[in-house]
Amino acid sequence: MKRVWFHSLILITVVVLASCSSALPTPFPLPTRGPQTAVDTPAPLPPVSGSGSGSGDASTSHVVAPDGTDPFDLISLDALYGVLEDLTAIQPYSGWRNSASEGEAEGLDYVAGKLDRMSYLVDLGMEQERQTFRLPTGTDLWETRLQVTVGGQEVEVPADGLRGNRDYAQLARQVDSDGVLNDSDRDPVVVEGPVVVIRTTGELEALTPADVKGKVVFLDYAVIDRSLMSTNDAVTLAWRLAEKGPAGVVLVTRFSNVPGESHGAFVGDGCAFTWVEVEPLPPVLYARVEDMAQAGIESMDDLERIEAARLTWDADVFAPGTSGNLVARIPGADPSQAMILGAHIDSPNAPGALDDGSGSAILLEVARILDAAQLQPPTDLYLVWFGSEEPSLFGAAHFVATHQELLDRTRAMLQIDCLGRPLDGIDAELRLVAWPYGRHGVGSLPWPEALARLAAARNVTTVPFEVYHTYSDNSTFAGFDVPNMDLIYEPVVGPDASVHYFAHWHDPYDTVELAREVDDVFEGMTRVALAAALETSGDVTAVRVSPRPDRRALFVGSHTEALHMSPVAFTELGMAWAMQGFDVDLIPYGQPVTPGDLEDADLVVVLPVLDYPTSESGLDQYDEAWTQEEVDALEGYVADGGFLVLTNSLQRLKYGIVGLDPNEDWQDANALASAFGVVYEDGGMRGVEASIQGNHPLTKRVNFLELGDGNGVPFSLSGGAWQVLASVGEQPAAALGNYGASGGEVLVLADVAMLSGGGSELPNLPFWRNLADYARSR
């Protein structure tokens, strides 16, 4: 999978990656992230234009259709909102397009059907690829009904249920109506009783079990709104209510556009109740007070008029869950290069018009315009609708892992995530968000800056904006040295504020109606995406900062289902190696490594064996392990003089640094490691810093090696000359040994997290650079 370096000076399609942050606060501390700053644009830019095509400037080459039509004149708000209406009509009040659900699959089916009817693109040779992959948990909501009795009359009002915990199967099981994972049997739970209304924290704290036994609690969501208090405080309050044993709970939200007031942020996906471990958890539904008008409920105060309620709840949790991507390749005039435009189809248990129905609609609008104008893009154009962005970028991670050859010919990537409706009095700007190479000597953002100029020529103001952390689907491309960014209309708030709360993302009011209030921005975003697809030209060096690669580093992830434990999340490592002339490649999960894969690799990193089944979800579902053929291939690579890095992990890692559930497969590393005299052992390592031992080029200028908290796996060494490079107490954490007669070497690491890193210091960065230098000098 050697990178094909770009050398032609031709008109090409450039893709900008735009994304809406899906980071979700948890009750556990996360690593400190780097700064977020705006980057000066190259020149003053005009405002977003709600109409007209924009004449551009003399330096911009505008593409026209064969009949002379400017394709930008074909942008249609009616078409965009038509798609939004259709997407938000998929399984309403049953999770909408919830990640890894039937609704998400229906969303992908809908997009595929629209593409099938684009006759010009079909005749041009457009191809569709449907991908399937797993993620740790997925929730399908089969039935969520709420019936209230007011004045002796029973009325049904719309209500929805909760998505299970994103990361932990044992917590996700709490929102499975029969408490049994991985079955899809319909087994509704029905509870009913008199109503208790709770409007304040004090009222909740004063409740006794006798007050709520056999009753349904209607709880003002503001009492446990994680956007208005710490997550730990919200979870504590929800936990206390659950422990009192109500028959059921209805979380009630109301619309507000006023900062400081609750409007249901995270109520369906990430609600405080999804962290509660009370068995059995009472049925929990949520409803908008606005939807209760037919029952005569006009405000939160009117909740007192409800005499009784009946809840029907039928949900199943799958661990792992199953999700998918849809990839459309539109052949370009020059197929040797490619541009990628992406958006995520899944919605966080809300209508999802803004996040990210907007991006999904824009991708379809780009395709519709190309079809209507009968325009072939200048290079291969890939439109990708990613699944399961919300749980942690799983769809994009699967895409980059399984399209390594495509990445090698990709000029750039643009994510569109997403349109927002800022709260009253909150400024917002259309940002081009990217992770720069600032820690590697280059602080500029050439790809966002180039697109900003192009957007200006189309009367759209954009702001290049830098972040040093994962943002959206585009972030998965960064570790593979693909210029990327996220196009997002984002509120301008402080670094500690929740942008989701200030933009109506992840709340029940993420609706088409709110999207219509920012239609000028919606059209402007479509202009930027279309310009990225059609109007960027020049040498690749204009949008890339790394040198032409002349070496290759290969990560072997054949048995690593958690792609966050790969270059997908090892962003700064990938950047460091790219700046040192390495093309970073990955053998994806499920693809056995062969001798042919290893032939031209200067450095091979073996990732930990890890699959998603846990003791909670059932280890007998399937199991990963090295085959003898793979062990022979890797041993032969080292025997022929190769440089191999062995890694392991006691936990599944999120974004490469945050430890989650235990990795029951850690011992499977020994099927390979023992071939070189290495045995990983039980017990774990205390401490997160490994002290440097002796002198070696690999540890030059390295003060210590940072491990993940409780993630190191001790190992013993035999059968050769080993040099311990770093240790935790008496336990080696990194060691280098010779193998075979041709100069082969094996570097053993106790923790794969040594190749990742959070925060702003990155103590392992010198070690990563030394690895590249050492591999180059061998």
Side-chain angles (χ1 to χ4, degrees):
M1 294 177 284
K2 197 72 172 177
R3 179 179 298 282
V4 178
W5 191 253
F6 312 104
H7 55 273
S8 359
L9 297 174
I10 59 173
L11 180 69
I12 65 175
T13 305
V14 177
V15 180
V16 180
L17 190 57
S19 166
C20 169
S21 170
S22 67
L24 186 65
T26 73
F28 310 110
L30 297 180
T32 303
R33 296 298 190 176
Q36 304 182 52
T37 57
V39 178
D40 291 338
T41 52
L45 304 180
V48 170
S49 172
S51 61
S53 65
S55 59
D57 59 33
S59 64
T60 304
S61 173
H62 287 170
V63 176
V64 297
D67 64 359
T69 301
D70 185 338
F72 288 80
D73 289 341
L74 300 179
I75 294 175
S76 167
L77 280 171
D78 286 343
L80 288 164
Y81 284 117
V83 171
L84 281 193
E85 295 280 4
D86 290 343
L87 289 175
T88 55
I90 293 174
Q91 295 203 12
Y93 298 101
S94 184
W96 279 276
R97 304 178 314 281
N98 188 23
S99 305
S101 71
E102 286 192 357
E104 181 190 68
E106 287 181 26
L108 294 172
D109 290 342
Y110 167 81
V111 172
K114 298 279 280 190
L115 293 171
D116 282 338
R117 293 190 289 275
M118 297 180 183
S119 57
Y120 169 76
L121 296 183
V122 170
D123 291 343
L124 188 64
M126 177 177 63
E127 300 172 332
Q128 292 189 45
E129 176 190 2
R130 191 72 170 262
Q131 293 191 295
T132 300
F133 56 88
R134 291 185 290 250
L135 65 160
T137 67
T139 306
D140 261 307
L141 296 159
W142 310 121
E143 185 179 9
T144 54
R145 300 177 63 190
L146 171 62
Q147 292 154 296
V148 299
T149 300
V150 179
Q153 298 295 314
E154 187 175 77
V155 180
E156 182 165 345
V157 298
D160 212 332
L162 308 184
R163 184 191 193 280
N165 188 279
R166 298 173 172 187
D167 297 314
Y168 298 98
Q170 72 271 25
L171 287 173
R173 185 173 55 82
Q174 297 282 84
V175 303
D176 189 302
S177 55
D178 68 356
V180 178
L181 296 174
N182 300 321
D183 76 85
S184 56
D185 298 334
R186 304 302 192 264
D187 39 37
V189 172
V190 179
V191 299
E192 57 187 321
V195 166
V196 175
V197 177
I198 302 297
R199 296 290 308 279
T200 68
T201 300
E203 292 174 354
L204 189 155
E205 296 279 22
L207 284 177
T208 67
D211 293 330
V212 297
K213 183 178 181 181
K215 297 178 182 178
V216 176
V217 173
F218 276 61
L219 177 66
D220 186 338
Y221 183 68
V223 176
I224 59 165
D225 189 338
R226 294 172 45 244
S227 297
L228 305 180
M229 64 186 71
S230 75
T231 294
N232 282 332
D233 286 346
V235 172
T236 298
L237 290 168
W239 202 307
R240 288 174 182 169
L241 176 56
E243 284 182 324
K244 298 177 194 297
V249 177
V250 178
L251 305 174
V252 185
T253 72
R254 71 177 182 88
F255 178 76
S256 173
N257 222 46
V258 178
E261 295 183 352
S262 175
H263 51 254
F266 299 112
V267 64
D269 185 16
C271 167
F273 275 99
T274 62
W275 293 98
V276 171
E277 295 183 79
V278 172
E279 293 195 25
L281 186 71
V284 181
L285 303 183
Y286 70 91
R288 309 189 313 176
V289 73
E290 294 83 4
D291 293 332
M292 298 184 182
Q294 57 190 317
I297 307 299
E298 303 286 347
S299 68
M300 287 290 191
D301 291 336
D302 289 341
L303 294 176
E304 300 287 352
R305 297 177 55 205
I306 302 176
E307 300 148 8
R310 179 187 295 123
L311 281 62
T312 304
W313 168 54
D314 191 358
D316 280 313
V317 173
F318 302 89
T322 301
S323 185
N325 297 328
L326 177 65
V327 184
R329 171 187 170 268
I330 301 173
D334 175 16
S336 71
Q337 297 191 36
M339 294 304 304
I340 304 171
L341 272 65
H344 68 87
I345 195 75
D346 61 314
S347 166
N349 237 6
L354 301 169
D355 181 14
D356 186 25
S358 58
S360 297
I362 287 172
L363 291 191
L364 265 176
E365 183 67 354
V366 169
R368 187 192 67 79
I369 290 170
L370 293 178
D371 184 68
Q374 299 193 8
L375 267 175
Q376 182 178 24
T379 68
D380 279 0
L381 176 62
Y382 284 78
L383 305 177
V384 189
W385 288 265
F386 298 115
S388 295
E389 185 268 356
E390 297 295 355
S392 296
L393 319 182
F394 286 97
H398 181 76
F399 175 82
V400 297
T402 54
H403 288 82
Q404 291 285 293
E405 296 287 0
L406 170 61
L407 299 191
D408 286 347
R409 62 185 178 95
T410 295
R411 176 181 175 86
M413 189 273 182
L414 171 65
Q415 176 79 0
I416 309 163
D417 181 19
C418 49
L419 185 64
R421 171 55 168 95
L423 301 186
D424 294 340
I426 301 297
D427 291 332
E429 56 192 17
L430 193 53
R431 290 174 172 171
L432 303 172
V433 181
W435 189 331
Y437 285 67
R439 291 165 176 154
H440 311 282
V442 182
S444 61
L445 296 174
W447 171 222
E449 290 165 1
L451 193 61
R453 287 189 290 269
L454 190 59
R458 287 293 179 180
N459 296 329
V460 183
T461 298
T462 56
V463 179
F465 196 80
E466 68 176 33
V467 299
Y468 283 84
H469 58 80
T470 298
Y471 215 70
S472 184
D473 290 321
N474 60 296
S475 301
T476 64
F477 291 75
F480 297 99
D481 195 34
V482 177
N484 67 85
M485 59 178 147
D486 181 26
L487 174 64
I488 181 171
Y489 188 57
E490 188 166 83
V492 180
V493 292
D496 297 325
S498 168
V499 292
H500 300 81
Y501 168 80
F502 285 100
H504 282 294
W505 299 323
H506 296 233
D507 74 37
Y509 305 98
D510 180 357
T511 60
V512 177
E513 290 73 23
L514 279 192
R516 290 187 184 277
E517 295 181 13
V518 283
D519 58 1
D520 58 338
V521 183
F522 200 7
E523 181 177 348
M525 292 175 71
T526 307
R527 290 181 180 279
V528 176
L530 189 59
L534 293 176
E535 291 192 340
T536 303
S537 61
D539 192 352
V540 69
T541 56
V543 294
R544 191 179 292 270
V545 301
S546 60
R548 180 179 304 190
D550 59 358
R551 298 297 176 99
R552 179 169 176 251
L554 176 65
F555 285 79
V556 180
S558 303
H559 303 286
T560 312
E561 191 165 19
L563 286 169
H564 285 179
M565 301 166 66
S566 78
V568 166
F570 299 169
T571 305
E572 293 286 1
L573 170 70
M575 289 179 172
W577 287 2
M579 293 298 286
Q580 290 171 273
F582 277 79
D583 173 26
V584 174
D585 279 329
L586 170 66
I587 296 179
Y589 171 71
Q591 178 179 312
V593 61
T594 69
D597 296 321
L598 306 168
E599 282 181 357
D600 60 349
D602 301 278
L603 169 62
V604 173
V605 180
V606 177
L607 298 172
V609 179
L610 186 147
D611 54 37
Y612 286 145
T614 66
S615 56
E616 177 73 22
S617 62
L619 292 173
D620 57 347
Q621 292 184 79
Y622 57 91
D623 188 41
E624 288 301 327
W626 293 106
T627 67
Q628 188 59 51
E629 291 79 7
E630 290 175 311
V631 172
D632 291 344
L634 290 163
E635 185 179 10
Y637 164 77
V638 183
D640 288 341
F643 183 27
L644 186 72
V645 180
L646 298 175
T647 69
N648 212 332
S649 181
L650 272 184
Q651 302 168 90
R652 176 167 61 90
L653 301 179
K654 185 172 184 176
Y655 298 130
I657 48 176
V658 181
L660 298 176
D661 44 79
N663 174 23
E664 291 90 354
D665 302 307
W666 68 265
Q667 295 181 73
D668 290 332
N670 287 329
L672 172 63
S674 61
F676 305 103
V678 179
V679 176
Y680 284 99
E681 300 176 338
D682 201 357
M685 299 183 107
R686 294 184 177 181
V688 296
E689 293 185 4
S691 303
I692 302 304
Q693 306 296 314
N695 295 309
H696 191 276
L698 284 173
T699 55
K700 182 174 60 176
R701 298 183 300 275
V702 178
N703 297 320
F704 64 90
L705 287 177
E706 185 178 63
L707 288 75
D709 188 8
N711 200 54
V713 185
F715 56 83
S716 60
L717 304 166
S718 63
W722 291 96
Q723 180 178 352
V724 175
L725 304 178
S727 62
V728 176
E730 300 299 318
Q731 297 174 317
L736 182 70
N738 299 321
Y739 186 82
S742 300
E745 291 179 287
V746 176
L747 173 65
V748 190
L749 301 179
D751 186 2
V752 72
M754 293 179 181
L755 303 179
S756 185
S760 57
E761 299 302 322
L762 295 183
N764 293 351
L765 179 57
F767 175 63
W768 302 340
R769 290 172 174 159
N770 292 343
L771 264 173
D773 287 340
Y774 190 73
R776 179 177 288 278
S777 66
R778 294 179 70 255

